[in-house]
């Protein structure tokens, strides 16, 4: 099993996260022969503006003010593209989106969401997915997609 992604430290150089995310997206699109359009890029960048999930409406508002001709359906299509290609995740309970911290690798959207700072951290826990799949199978149910959104207080907020 892979080691877990590093915890989000509040005072980190977030510009690195953004640059890494954009570089990873460019690489992934080039490898899969997909178009990383200016809008897709801008949406990804905006979702990555922090580690807090970005609400769909905030995103639409922001992009409406920019000169990308971004009507809501276009923005939703860009979001779908980013989700399908594993570059961002949707946080269902918040109707919001957050950048994926290890794009290009197959994994579930399991999240630890801090109620204090609002950061959403990915939790790698393939054993949970396996337990759900097995439990569902016992009931004759084929599990396809699963999300897990755990709320609580993150390590940084506990320290302060
Ligand atoms: Zn960051
Ligand atoms: Zn992810
Ligand atoms: Zn926190």
């Amino acid at each position: 099993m892979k080691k877990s992604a590093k915890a989000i430290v509040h005072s980190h150089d977030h510009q690195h996260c953004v640059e890494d995310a954009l570089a990873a997206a460019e690489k992934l699109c080039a490898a899969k022969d997909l178009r990383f359009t200016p809008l897709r890029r801008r949406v990804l960048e905006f979702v990555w503006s922090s580690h807090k999930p970005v609400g769909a409406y905030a995103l639409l508002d922001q992009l409406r003010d920019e000169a990308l001709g971004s009507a809501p359906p276009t923005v939703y299509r860009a979001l779908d593209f980013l989700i399908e290609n594993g570059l961002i995740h949707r946080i269902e309970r918040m109707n919001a989106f957050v950048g994926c911290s290890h794009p290009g690798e197959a994994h579930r959207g399991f999240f630890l969401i801090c109620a204090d700072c609002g950061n959403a951290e990915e939790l790698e826990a393939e054993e949970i997915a396996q337990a759900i799949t097995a439990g569902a199978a016992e009931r004759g149910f084929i599990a396809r997609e699963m999300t897990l959104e755990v709320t609580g207080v993150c390590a940084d907020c506990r320290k302060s």
Side-chain angles (χ1 to χ4, degrees):
M1 206 163 80
K2 288 187 302 316
K3 70 173 168 41
S4 323
K6 276 199 289 297
I8 303 162
V9 179
H10 282 199
S11 56
H12 68 290
D13 184 356
H14 186 63
Q15 194 51 36
H16 278 308
C17 301
V18 179
E19 281 163 15
D20 286 353
L22 291 173
E26 272 167 21
K27 214 172 121 191
L28 187 133
C29 288
K32 291 167 118 185
D33 209 13
L34 299 167
R35 286 177 59 230
F36 193 40
T37 62
L39 178 64
R40 287 168 177 176
R41 186 189 177 86
R42 183 66 192 109
V43 171
L44 181 64
E45 200 177 34
F46 191 62
V47 168
W48 265 104
S49 52
S50 77
H51 293 276
K52 296 181 190 25
V54 176
Y57 294 113
L59 200 97
L60 290 175
D61 277 350
Q62 173 73 28
L63 294 174
R64 197 182 304 121
D65 297 340
E66 296 181 9
L68 286 164
S70 328
T74 331
V75 174
Y76 280 116
R77 274 198 298 276
L79 286 166
D80 285 343
F81 172 86
L82 296 172
I83 291 169
E84 275 164 29
N85 289 289
L87 296 166
I88 63 172
H89 293 282
R90 184 199 300 274
I91 305 286
E92 307 283 349
R93 63 185 294 138
M94 303 165 95
N95 187 22
F97 305 89
V98 70
C100 176
S101 50
H102 32 273
E105 294 168 25
H107 60 281
R108 312 281 181 176
F110 290 172
F111 284 91
L112 302 175
I113 302 164
C114 178
D116 285 3
C117 67
N119 281 350
E121 220 175 292
E122 281 197 48
L123 175 69
E124 279 187 71
E126 198 42 45
E127 61 277 20
I128 296 173
Q130 283 163 5
I132 294 172
T133 304
E138 273 171 32
R139 295 166 170 272
F141 185 95
I142 306 289
R144 207 168 281 152
E145 286 180 28
M146 52 184 94
T147 51
L148 182 67
E149 299 171 359
V150 182
T151 51
V153 184
C154 77
D156 269 4
C157 289
R158 286 182 57 213
K159 265 183 251 154
S160 49

